[in-house]
Amino acid sequence: MENLDWANLPFGYIHTDYNVRCYYRNGKWGALELCSEETINLHMAATCLHYGQEAFEGLKACRGKDGKIRIFRPEANAERLQSTCQGIVMAELPTELFIEAVKKAVKANERFIPPYESGATLYIRPLLIGTSAQVGVHPSSEYLFLIFVTPVGPYFKGGFAANPYVIIRKYDRSAPLGTGIYKTGGNYAASLRANKIAHELGYACEFYLDAKEKKYIDECGAANFFGIKDNTYITPLSTSILPSITNMSLMQLAKDLGMKVERRPVPEEELSSFEEAGACGTAAVISPIERIDDLENKKSYVIAKEGKPGPICTKLYNKLRAIQYGDEQDVHGWVTILD
Ligand SMILES: *Cc1c(COP(=O)(O)O)cnc(C)c1O
């Protein structure tokens, strides 16, 4: 295994040995190629550079106590990438090819998968870009699919902690019938200003309301929102939220714990009634919400009363991580073990 300071790795890019590439040309996908080059040779008129034909994914692999490498729900990422491809008219990658590429990238960089005790994981970043040289606005006829991996440190360095968020009304991440439901870089570009403002004000992240009415909760930066009250897990239903695989998994785990699950529009005022709330996504799994400030309306929804994660957030967080590391039985068939 590589000699890295695993427990203190940042959430950043660390060089690994290989990436996996696959080219779409003449209407079909080619063979998976293992590549040690970190740069890509791209035509300056490629559609990804000018017209945003870019999709990405994010998932992770964990080394278990038993030494086995587990990849969490790669089929779900394959399907979400296909949905993004439909959304911005790109060539779809078959699920089997996606999973084969993920396994190949993880296997080739096995020495970078952090040890079990470290809390660090191997982050897997699939990327799909339109590469044809074009000036007119049309979908590309050629694509490059690429996967790189990089070891990332434990998200909560000082332990699982709660964070403050701020509602930003001035800028929207995505339009009601726009690309918010797809994992495409354009949404991130659109979020940078709000994110910068939130950070400058000392918040963990920006909090979005629905773009049309600014009445309902959408997302917390690049993470889904959920609230807990009366033994119920509540998460927003909206046409501009990215369908988080972590959120889908937490909904199932909440049901397994005997909780009710509701997916429906959540009005801002309802924030005051939650016993617990969290932001969820691959990187942090759950980032518990301490409070959400609405500066324009001079309101502060304090959720974690003592500033600490609540019992249900903690239980869900531990349960999901236990499945990812193989400490708990994978009853839903979410884990792919590397052979
Ligand atoms: C990727 C992403 C998430 C989290 O999705 P996971 O599959 O749970 O990692 C949430 N919101 C946005 C906007 C995202 O891009």
Side-chain angles (χ1 to χ4, degrees):
M1 205 182 295
E2 194 56 13
N3 188 19
L4 291 172
D5 182 8
W6 301 109
N8 293 304
L9 289 179
F11 195 88
Y13 179 81
I14 288 175
H15 171 86
T16 55
D17 293 331
Y18 297 103
N19 57 82
V20 170
R21 302 182 186 198
C22 187
Y23 295 90
Y24 182 87
R25 293 186 186 120
N26 303 317
K28 56 180 193 294
W29 288 102
L32 297 178
E33 300 171 19
L34 205 55
C35 181
S36 56
E37 182 58 58
E38 285 176 288
T39 57
I40 49 184
N41 195 3
L42 203 56
H43 196 286
M44 61 187 174
T47 64
C48 62
L49 297 176
H50 299 262
Y51 306 127
Q53 267 202 311
E54 186 269 0
F56 70 100
E57 274 300 328
L59 63 162
K60 60 191 186 184
C62 303
R63 192 186 293 275
K65 206 188 288 181
D66 54 7
K68 289 186 181 154
I69 308 303
R70 291 172 173 79
I71 305 167
F72 191 66
R73 304 193 78 171
E75 307 78 14
N77 293 92
E79 284 163 19
R80 189 169 65 188
L81 180 60
Q82 288 157 7
S83 159
T84 301
C85 287
Q86 289 163 18
I88 57 172
V89 198
M90 300 202 292
E92 280 176 52
L93 195 79
T95 302
E96 310 74 58
L97 190 58
F98 179 93
I99 293 174
E100 201 189 326
V102 168
K103 285 182 173 172
K104 200 178 175 75
V106 173
K107 186 103 195 147
N109 296 290
E110 207 163 345
R111 68 190 184 101
F112 291 97
I113 307 172
Y116 172 73
E117 312 76 33
S118 66
T121 55
L122 188 76
Y123 183 73
I124 305 164
R125 171 52 63 87
L127 177 74
L128 176 58
I129 56 175
T131 53
S132 312
Q134 270 168 219
V135 175
V137 182
H138 308 288
S140 180
S141 57
E142 298 191 343
Y143 294 87
L144 165 62
F145 174 69
L146 180 152
I147 299 183
F148 70 77
V149 300
T150 193
V152 293
Y155 194 87
F156 297 102
K157 296 227 160 48
F160 188 49
N163 285 305
Y165 289 77
V166 64
I167 292 174
I168 302 279
R169 285 194 180 72
K170 206 170 164 194
Y171 306 113
D172 295 317
R173 187 188 79 91
S174 64
L177 299 176
T179 55
I181 55 173
Y182 308 121
K183 211 164 176 76
T184 178
N187 297 330
Y188 278 72
S191 76
L192 291 174
R193 277 204 292 186
N195 186 265
K196 185 163 178 267
I197 292 171
H199 284 154
E200 282 168 359
L201 292 170
Y203 292 94
C205 211
E206 75 278 19
F207 198 89
Y208 295 105
L209 300 178
D210 75 285
K212 193 174 178 183
E213 296 185 78
K214 305 274 183 196
K215 265 174 74 176
Y216 301 97
I217 294 163
D218 250 10
E219 285 200 76
C220 327
N224 276 188
F225 171 87
F226 68 87
I228 307 278
K229 66 176 176 190
D230 308 326
N231 200 35
T232 309
Y233 180 104
I234 300 160
T235 193
L237 182 69
S238 152
T239 55
S240 48
I241 293 179
L242 196 280
S244 155
I245 294 162
T246 312
N247 196 6
M248 270 182 1
S249 310
L250 292 172
M251 283 189 252
Q252 181 61 54
L253 295 180
K255 278 185 205 156
D256 295 351
L257 290 173
M259 297 174 69
K260 270 193 293 182
V261 172
E262 292 177 7
R263 200 174 184 185
R264 56 164 170 82
V266 180
E268 182 193 329
E269 303 73 54
E270 197 173 343
L271 287 174
S272 61
S273 68
F274 290 123
E275 297 152 14
E276 297 181 40
C280 62
T282 294
V285 179
I286 292 176
S287 181
I289 296 176
E290 182 195 339
R291 63 172 208 277
I292 300 164
D293 290 347
D294 182 347
L295 301 176
E296 285 114 313
N297 292 329
K298 298 192 170 47
K299 271 193 222 160
S300 182
Y301 303 97
V302 179
I303 296 167
K305 302 283 185 300
E306 278 117 52
K308 288 205 298 283
I312 293 172
C313 279
T314 306
K315 203 185 271 183
L316 289 170
Y317 173 78
N318 288 335
K319 204 163 170 69
L320 188 55
R321 284 185 29 115
I323 295 170
Q324 292 177 336
Y325 282 93
D327 293 336
E328 194 160 314
Q329 222 193 330
D330 174 28
V331 294
H332 298 291
W334 286 341
V335 163
T336 293
I337 295 181
L338 197 66
D339 38 44

